[in-house]
Amino acid sequence: MFQDLPTASNPALDWSADVYQRYFDDLLERPLTADTITAWLTDWSNLMRIAQEVETRLEVATTRNTADEKADTRYGNFVDTVRPVIEASVNALSKKLVASGLQPDGMHIALRDMRASIEIFREENLPLQAEETRAEVEYSKIIGAQTMMWDGEEVTLTALTPVLYETDRARRESAWRGAMERRLQDRDALGSLWTRLLDLRRRKATNAGFPDYIAYRWKDLKRFDYTPENSAAFRDAIEQVVVPAATRIYERHRQGLGLPSLRPWDEFVDPAGRDSLKPFDSIEAFEATTQRIFEQVDPELGEHFQVMRASALLDLDNRKNKAPGGYCTTLTQARVPFIFMNAVGLHDDVQTLLHEGGHAFHVFESRGLDYFFQEEPPIEFAEVASMAMELLSAPYLKAGAGGFYSDVNASRALVEHLEGIIKFWPYMAVVDGFQHWAYSHPEASDPAACDAAWSALWDRFMPGLDYSGLADVKATGWQRKEHIFSVPFYYIEYGLAQLGAVQVWANAQTDQRAAVRKYRDALALGGTAPLPDLFAAAGARFAFDAQTLAQAVATVERAIEANLSH
């Protein structure tokens, strides 16, 4: 029956669970031998590409317009009725493949992951997973609906971000306080939503026989190359090595502004009193200039981005009822990426598109792999692809190289980016530390306890900003971190990947072309190698220790000093 499987996902967008079940049943009933394994895996891969792309398209529609009730209903129907059938069938097929004892070439990591999925799969968790997904969509709807009046207009809170770069301190403070007051209006709703999510996740772990959600989620995320103890060691290394470096940045910023202390609304304004960088004035210009940068990094990468532009695979502008943040996802049947973001005309938008472009290139570079199950890289390395691309693109930000800025402003942009790297690691430690606390302490069901835990972590890792008189805003920072609600434990990946990306960038300072070549070779491996091997292929070391982190911080600080003199 697989000869009737569509070659595109559109015909399957409204398939019922029964249609999927017939295809899965065919695979379950077919004999699996050394002679049939290739055709069997190919058919399973093609079915999974259709199913995954359908879910992705339905989910993307809910983020492009959080007020679209039809999109919400279609996605909800898939989550409630179709996804459970797919997950149960995938578990059955995985068991069939593992039980066969067959070891297809290039499937070592995929088989390892299948064994882990089999271990944690429980039928009784399927409705809990559907409920969890609905709650995650609810989070996006709450955040996406947050607007306020500014300069006589109703604007999204994201659209206020450029004001935080303005030199008028009173306007910055007014915008910041207004946005936070609006966010605090949803404090109770988000607290209630969190309590529901925490309960669902704990129940899933209990059903699967795990002592807590940390152990369950570790297996769920296929984290075979490091442990929760490694995560704690990484946070300790950040406290030892990075917090002092970040504090130096905040202090330099405070001195430049001539302030007694650095308040949250002072963090992003230029300390020299210059207006914020304005890299583009239209989305078309934004896309075109970014493409030129990618072409300079590598001509084939530029061609990949051109395909995305020509195929409507970019949604970059900010608008009301659009979900917050940015992401790159994969249309698995078409085997192309899709980038979503909320551009408002800042340099952060440039960094975001370069970042998501790295994810997109991962999709393009790994298309040569045979099976669906080989293509998904571990998240920790997926973020190396994105973060390294931000740094590999840095030499081409100058207008003379096709980029956005004068030489002076290109140096300024690089300094902002590099300072952001240093400041990010401590923030990452707060988010990661909070999640480890939340899933190991029963009192985390109480949002007030979460406020206290977040505040303590913030004070430990983020001493450079003065939040005096802003206790409620500081305490509720966990409610503003989407990952905590929607992708639990997905955050240390950014910190580990940033360490890998800086190493790739350090190599590029010696030989840019060779570093890019290694980068692309590593991306082409997809998910067919363990994390240490993927990092090594890219020219980096997968590490958690203070020494490796200190070397990376030194590399970044040297570049900051060099560019500050421009």
Side-chain angles (χ1 to χ4, degrees), residues 355-387:
H355 177 103
E356 302 303 345
H359 285 309
F361 299 147
H362 217 154
V363 176
F364 282 109
E365 294 293 295
S366 61
R367 288 195 296 183
L369 296 168
D370 292 328
Y371 304 120
F372 170 85
F373 320 99
Q374 300 172 310
E375 294 164 3
E376 187 71 22
I379 298 171
E380 297 82 355
F381 189 71
E383 296 299 342
V384 173
S386 56
M387 291 177 168

Side-chain angles (χ1 to χ4, degrees), residues 543-555:
F544 310 85
D545 61 287
Q547 181 179 357
T548 304
L549 195 54
Q551 291 170 348
V553 168
T555 297

